[in-house]
Amino acid sequence: EVQLVESGGGLVQPGGSLRLSCSASGFTFSSYAMHWVRQAPGKGLEYVSAISSNGGSTYYADSVKGRFTISRDNSKNTLYLQMSSLRAEDTAVYYCVKVRCSGGSCFFDYWGQGTLVTVSS
Amino acid sequence: SYVLTQPPSVSVAPGKTARITCGGNNIGSKSVHWYQQKPGQAPVLVIYYDSDRPSGIPERFSGSNSGNTATLTISRVEAGDEADYYCQVWDSSSDQVVFGGGTKLTVL
Protein backbone atom coordinates (compact mmCIF):
# COMPACT_ATOMS: atom_id res chain seq x y z
CA GLU A 1 0.00 0.00 0.00
CA VAL A 2 1.37 3.39 -1.01
CA GLN A 3 1.76 5.77 1.91
CA LEU A 4 2.96 9.36 1.95
CA VAL A 5 3.32 10.94 5.38
CA GLU A 6 4.19 14.61 5.67
CA SER A 7 5.64 16.28 8.72
CA GLY A 8 7.29 19.53 9.73
CA GLY A 9 4.42 21.96 9.43
CA GLY A 10 3.61 24.50 12.09
CA LEU A 11 3.43 28.17 12.98
CA VAL A 12 6.27 30.38 11.77
CA GLN A 13 6.77 34.14 11.72
CA PRO A 14 6.95 36.06 8.46
CA GLY A 15 10.46 35.89 7.09
CA GLY A 16 11.12 32.63 8.88
CA SER A 17 12.02 29.17 7.62
CA LEU A 18 10.58 25.71 7.83
CA ARG A 19 11.47 22.31 6.39
CA LEU A 20 8.78 19.87 5.41
CA SER A 21 9.45 16.17 5.08
CA CYS A 22 7.49 13.42 3.34
CA SER A 23 8.19 9.81 4.17
CA ALA A 24 7.20 7.44 1.38
CA SER A 25 6.51 3.71 1.44
CA GLY A 26 4.77 1.04 -0.57
CA PHE A 27 6.44 1.81 -3.89
CA THR A 28 9.92 2.18 -5.37
CA PHE A 29 10.48 5.78 -4.32
CA SER A 30 13.64 6.23 -6.37
CA SER A 31 11.76 5.48 -9.60
CA TYR A 32 9.27 8.33 -9.41
CA ALA A 33 9.28 12.08 -9.65
CA MET A 34 7.67 13.68 -6.62
CA HIS A 35 5.76 16.89 -6.17
CA TRP A 36 4.45 19.33 -3.60
CA VAL A 37 0.98 20.84 -3.99
CA ARG A 38 -0.50 23.33 -1.53
CA GLN A 39 -3.93 24.60 -0.65
CA ALA A 40 -4.53 27.87 1.15
CA PRO A 41 -7.47 27.90 3.58
CA GLY A 42 -10.72 27.86 1.62
CA LYS A 43 -8.90 28.01 -1.70
CA GLY A 44 -8.06 25.68 -4.57
CA LEU A 45 -5.04 23.53 -5.32
CA GLU A 46 -1.75 25.20 -6.28
CA TYR A 47 1.19 23.38 -7.81
CA VAL A 48 4.35 24.31 -5.88
CA SER A 49 7.37 22.25 -6.79
CA ALA A 50 8.61 19.06 -8.40
CA ILE A 51 11.75 16.94 -8.46
CA SER A 52 12.82 14.20 -10.82
CA SER A 53 13.37 10.65 -9.66
CA ASN A 54 17.14 11.07 -9.26
CA GLY A 55 16.93 14.64 -7.99
CA GLY A 56 18.70 16.04 -11.01
CA SER A 57 15.83 18.23 -12.19
CA THR A 58 13.61 20.52 -10.18
CA TYR A 59 10.71 22.85 -10.87
CA TYR A 60 9.24 25.72 -8.88
CA ALA A 61 6.12 27.80 -9.27
CA ASP A 62 6.89 31.48 -9.76
CA SER A 63 5.27 32.21 -6.40
CA VAL A 64 7.96 30.28 -4.50
CA LYS A 65 10.96 30.45 -6.82
CA GLY A 66 14.08 31.59 -5.03
CA ARG A 67 12.55 30.96 -1.60
CA PHE A 68 11.74 27.22 -1.60
CA THR A 69 14.08 24.31 -2.31
CA ILE A 70 12.90 20.80 -3.07
CA SER A 71 15.16 17.82 -2.49
CA ARG A 72 15.03 14.11 -1.87
CA ASP A 73 17.00 11.34 -0.22
CA ASN A 74 16.31 8.14 -2.09
CA SER A 75 18.23 6.11 0.50
CA LYS A 76 15.70 7.25 3.10
CA ASN A 77 12.62 7.30 0.83
CA THR A 78 12.07 10.88 1.88
CA LEU A 79 11.10 14.07 0.06
CA TYR A 80 11.82 17.52 1.47
CA LEU A 81 10.71 21.09 0.96
CA GLN A 82 12.91 23.75 2.51
CA MET A 83 10.93 26.96 2.81
CA SER A 84 12.52 30.30 3.62
CA SER A 85 11.54 33.97 3.58
CA LEU A 86 8.04 32.80 4.36
CA ARG A 87 5.12 35.12 3.75
CA ALA A 88 1.54 35.18 4.99
CA GLU A 89 0.41 34.03 1.56
CA ASP A 90 2.40 30.82 2.00
CA THR A 91 -0.08 29.75 4.67
CA ALA A 92 -1.56 26.52 3.39
CA VAL A 93 -1.82 22.78 3.74
CA TYR A 94 1.13 21.28 1.89
CA TYR A 95 0.60 17.91 0.21
CA CYS A 96 3.30 15.51 -0.86
CA VAL A 97 2.20 13.85 -4.07
CA LYS A 98 3.35 10.92 -6.15
CA VAL A 99 3.11 11.44 -9.87
CA ARG A 100 2.39 9.01 -12.68
CA CYS A 101 3.27 9.95 -16.24
CA SER A 102 2.53 8.37 -19.59
CA GLY A 103 1.90 9.52 -23.12
CA GLY A 104 2.98 13.08 -22.49
CA SER A 105 0.70 13.68 -19.52
CA CYS A 106 1.09 13.34 -15.78
CA PHE A 107 -1.32 13.06 -12.89
CA PHE A 108 -1.19 12.55 -9.15
CA ASP A 109 -2.18 9.06 -8.16
CA TYR A 110 -1.37 9.25 -4.45
CA TRP A 111 -1.52 12.15 -1.99
CA GLY A 112 -0.31 12.48 1.56
CA GLN A 113 -2.64 13.69 4.30
CA GLY A 114 -1.04 17.14 4.23
CA THR A 115 0.76 19.28 6.77
CA LEU A 116 -0.41 22.77 7.73
CA VAL A 117 1.98 25.69 7.52
CA THR A 118 0.82 28.92 9.13
CA VAL A 119 2.83 32.09 8.61
CA SER A 120 1.81 34.70 11.12
CA SER A 121 3.26 37.01 13.73
CA SER B 1 0.08 29.97 -19.29
CA TYR B 2 -2.73 27.51 -19.82
CA VAL B 3 -5.96 28.23 -17.95
CA LEU B 4 -8.67 25.79 -16.85
CA THR B 5 -12.11 27.17 -16.01
CA GLN B 6 -14.62 25.37 -13.79
CA PRO B 7 -18.00 26.55 -12.51
CA PRO B 8 -17.72 27.43 -8.81
CA SER B 9 -20.69 25.30 -7.88
CA VAL B 10 -23.05 22.64 -9.15
CA SER B 11 -26.14 21.38 -7.35
CA VAL B 12 -27.97 18.14 -7.97
CA ALA B 13 -30.69 16.09 -6.32
CA PRO B 14 -29.89 12.60 -5.04
CA GLY B 15 -30.25 9.95 -7.71
CA LYS B 16 -29.81 12.43 -10.54
CA THR B 17 -26.82 13.05 -12.78
CA ALA B 18 -24.23 15.73 -12.07
CA ARG B 19 -22.04 17.16 -14.80
CA ILE B 20 -19.00 19.25 -13.89
CA THR B 21 -17.24 21.01 -16.74
CA CYS B 22 -13.64 22.06 -17.21
CA GLY B 23 -12.98 24.53 -19.99
CA GLY B 24 -9.68 25.21 -21.70
CA ASN B 25 -8.36 26.21 -25.10
CA ASN B 26 -8.43 23.05 -27.23
CA ILE B 27 -8.50 20.95 -24.07
CA GLY B 28 -9.60 18.01 -26.18
CA SER B 29 -5.98 17.71 -27.34
CA LYS B 30 -4.82 17.18 -23.76
CA SER B 31 -5.39 14.49 -21.17
CA VAL B 32 -7.61 15.62 -18.32
CA HIS B 33 -7.54 14.24 -14.81
CA TRP B 34 -10.11 14.75 -12.04
CA TYR B 35 -9.81 14.80 -8.26
CA GLN B 36 -12.43 14.66 -5.52
CA GLN B 37 -11.76 16.43 -2.23
CA LYS B 38 -14.06 16.06 0.75
CA PRO B 39 -13.86 18.53 3.64
CA GLY B 40 -10.75 18.09 5.75
CA GLN B 41 -9.34 15.38 3.48
CA ALA B 42 -6.67 15.16 0.83
CA PRO B 43 -7.73 15.03 -2.82
CA VAL B 44 -8.40 11.64 -4.36
CA LEU B 45 -7.97 10.79 -8.03
CA VAL B 46 -11.31 9.78 -9.54
CA ILE B 47 -10.65 9.98 -13.30
CA TYR B 48 -7.40 9.97 -15.27
CA TYR B 49 -6.64 10.23 -18.97
CA ASP B 50 -10.06 11.76 -19.63
CA SER B 51 -12.13 8.69 -18.79
CA ASP B 52 -10.17 6.00 -16.94
CA ARG B 53 -11.19 5.13 -13.39
CA PRO B 54 -8.71 4.09 -10.69
CA SER B 55 -9.53 0.91 -8.87
CA GLY B 56 -12.03 1.51 -6.11
CA ILE B 57 -13.78 4.40 -7.85
CA PRO B 58 -17.44 3.58 -8.60
CA GLU B 59 -18.58 3.17 -12.19
CA ARG B 60 -20.96 6.06 -11.52
CA PHE B 61 -17.98 8.33 -12.17
CA SER B 62 -17.12 8.89 -15.81
CA GLY B 63 -15.32 11.45 -17.90
CA SER B 64 -15.23 12.83 -21.42
CA ASN B 65 -13.14 15.38 -23.26
CA SER B 66 -13.64 17.09 -26.59
CA GLY B 67 -13.10 20.47 -28.17
CA ASN B 68 -12.78 23.12 -25.49
CA THR B 69 -14.57 21.26 -22.69
CA ALA B 70 -13.91 18.25 -20.51
CA THR B 71 -16.72 16.87 -18.38
CA LEU B 72 -16.87 14.81 -15.22
CA THR B 73 -20.19 13.00 -14.98
CA ILE B 74 -21.49 11.48 -11.77
CA SER B 75 -24.54 9.27 -12.25
CA ARG B 76 -27.04 8.36 -9.55
CA VAL B 77 -25.57 10.95 -7.24
CA GLU B 78 -25.35 10.08 -3.56
CA ALA B 79 -24.99 12.29 -0.51
CA GLY B 80 -21.44 10.99 -0.11
CA ASP B 81 -20.47 12.51 -3.47
CA GLU B 82 -20.75 16.00 -2.02
CA ALA B 83 -17.25 17.42 -2.36
CA ASP B 84 -15.00 19.77 -4.29
CA TYR B 85 -13.89 18.52 -7.68
CA TYR B 86 -10.76 19.70 -9.51
CA CYS B 87 -9.69 19.10 -13.08
CA GLN B 88 -5.99 19.01 -14.00
CA VAL B 89 -3.87 18.86 -17.12
CA TRP B 90 -0.17 18.72 -17.87
CA ASP B 91 0.73 21.71 -20.00
CA SER B 92 3.46 20.32 -22.22
CA SER B 93 4.33 23.76 -23.61
CA SER B 94 5.49 24.89 -20.17
CA ASP B 95 6.03 21.41 -18.74
CA GLN B 96 3.95 22.09 -15.69
CA VAL B 97 0.77 21.06 -13.93
CA VAL B 98 -2.35 23.19 -14.22
CA PHE B 99 -5.36 22.86 -11.94
CA GLY B 100 -8.83 24.21 -12.49
CA GLY B 101 -10.27 26.44 -9.79
CA GLY B 102 -12.50 23.70 -8.43
CA THR B 103 -16.24 23.06 -8.34
CA LYS B 104 -18.24 22.50 -5.19
CA LEU B 105 -20.82 19.80 -5.74
CA THR B 106 -23.84 20.13 -3.49
CA VAL B 107 -26.31 17.28 -3.14
CA LEU B 108 -29.69 18.80 -2.41
Side-chain angles (χ1 to χ4, degrees):
Chain A
E1 177 192 8
V2 172
Q3 285 199 316
L4 300 169
V5 180
E6 302 96 336
S7 60
L11 175 64
V12 61
Q13 292 189 339
S17 298
L18 210 57
R19 189 177 84 155
L20 306 183
S21 299
C22 171
S23 177
S25 61
F27 65 103
T28 306
F29 181 73
S30 59
S31 295
Y32 291 89
M34 294 294 294
H35 299 241
W36 290 97
V37 173
R38 70 184 180 183
Q39 186 172 36
K43 302 297 184 181
L45 302 172
E46 180 187 11
Y47 186 48
V48 174
S49 184
I51 187 167
S52 61
S53 58
N54 65 5
S57 297
T58 57
Y59 165 84
Y60 301 95
D62 287 343
S63 58
V64 306
K65 198 173 295 182
R67 300 186 299 119
F68 288 13
T69 301
I70 191 172
S71 62
R72 64 192 296 161
D73 185 337
N74 285 345
S75 68
K76 295 182 178 179
N77 288 351
T78 303
L79 175 71
Y80 303 101
L81 187 67
Q82 178 68 47
M83 305 184 294
S84 60
S85 301
L86 284 162
R87 308 166 180 166
E89 54 265 36
D90 295 317
T91 294
V93 174
Y94 286 73
Y95 294 102
C96 165
V97 194
K98 174 184 170 292
V99 71
R100 183 170 147 192
C101 298
S102 178
S105 184
C106 300
F107 60 91
F108 303 126
D109 54 354
Y110 290 96
W111 297 64
Q113 86 286 354
T115 187
L116 176 62
V117 173
T118 302
V119 184
S120 175
S121 54
Chain B
S1 61
Y2 195 75
V3 176
L4 295 175
T5 301
Q6 297 182 237
S9 63
V10 168
S11 299
V12 64
K16 300 298 185 181
T17 298
R19 293 178 179 85
I20 298 172
T21 59
C22 177
N25 184 35
N26 197 26
I27 196 174
S29 67
K30 302 181 182 297
S31 292
V32 179
H33 318 292
W34 291 90
Y35 305 89
Q36 175 194 67
Q37 185 180 34
K38 296 182 179 180
Q41 298 183 19
V44 172
L45 179 71
V46 293
I47 291 289
Y48 63 102
Y49 293 132
D50 297 339
S51 59
D52 289 343
R53 269 188 323 276
S55 61
I57 300 301
E59 291 183 6
R60 301 184 298 104
F61 288 80
S62 62
S64 62
N65 184 18
S66 178
N68 293 317
T69 304
T71 303
L72 172 69
T73 301
I74 309 171
S75 304
R76 302 180 300 282
V77 166
E78 302 173 356
D81 297 330
E82 192 163 275
D84 294 326
Y85 291 84
Y86 295 90
C87 59
Q88 175 249 311
V89 300
W90 186 271
D91 182 18
S92 55
S93 65
S94 58
D95 204 26
Q96 59 181 279
V97 168
V98 179
F99 287 106
T103 298
K104 180 176 181 59
L105 176 67
T106 298
V107 181
L108 300 172

